[in-house]
Amino acid sequence: MRTLRARMVISQLLPLIIIVPLVGLALIYFIETRVLLPSLTRELTGNASLVAEVTQDQTRLWSDPLYAQALLARVSPRLSARVMLLTADGRLLASTDPNDLDNLDSYLLHPDLLIAQSGQTVRRVYYSQFLQGEALDVWVPAVDRSGVVGVVRMTYRFANILEEFMQLRSSIIVILLFGLVIGAVL
């Protein structure tokens, strides 16, 4: 009788032990890739678009690197992303990243820059060796009546949000373990 009882318990617990972790992994993947990443992309695009819109009519900004750097110094504490201002021809004008300051006035060669120079917004998730991790890149053209006057590039490192992802994963795991224990008891 005990062996039959043990078999019955195992036959009820085994699917629960297999299905709940798989559902948890699927849930984590879905939330990170279908909810958090698109939300972060929209937020970063909105911030870059706001910077581009505010600066598009400021001709001094797009021609004076010191003025552009001073503007970014005032704005950067409110933004969690790296911000670069590039001239219409692709020259680095200003950046919030101190590592970029050596490259000021250099031309940036990047395929996404070419697309932004044509007036389109570019969003891309990629692995960056320079940033040593995955990043989200947004390129937004600053356009006035005469055309593209510059490009705003915002880059957000995933390492910045990794702690939030880990906290989300931990919460989901705790909830699933609690459900697993309740299911096993029932």
Side-chain angles (χ1 to χ4, degrees), residues 132-164:
Q132 297 176 345
E134 283 191 296
L136 172 62
D137 227 2
V138 175
W139 303 73
V140 177
V143 182
D144 69 0
R145 292 181 188 96
S146 64
V148 176
V149 293
V151 175
V152 177
R153 177 186 186 188
M154 293 186 90
T155 306
Y156 195 87
R157 290 183 48 202
F158 282 5
N160 297 352
I161 60 169
L162 187 59
E163 183 178 314
E164 292 177 38

Side-chain angles (χ1 to χ4, degrees), residues 14-29 172 176:
L14 194 58
L16 193 63
I17 291 171
I18 293 172
I19 291 173
V20 169
L22 291 176
V23 168
L25 290 174
L27 185 63
I28 289 170
Y29 175 78
I172 290 174
L176 290 175

Side-chain angles (χ1 to χ4, degrees), residues 95-113:
S95 176
T96 58
D97 188 350
N99 296 327
D100 292 334
L101 298 180
D102 293 336
N103 298 324
L104 288 181
D105 215 34
S106 300
Y107 287 91
L108 186 65
L109 301 173
H110 198 285
D112 292 339
L113 175 61

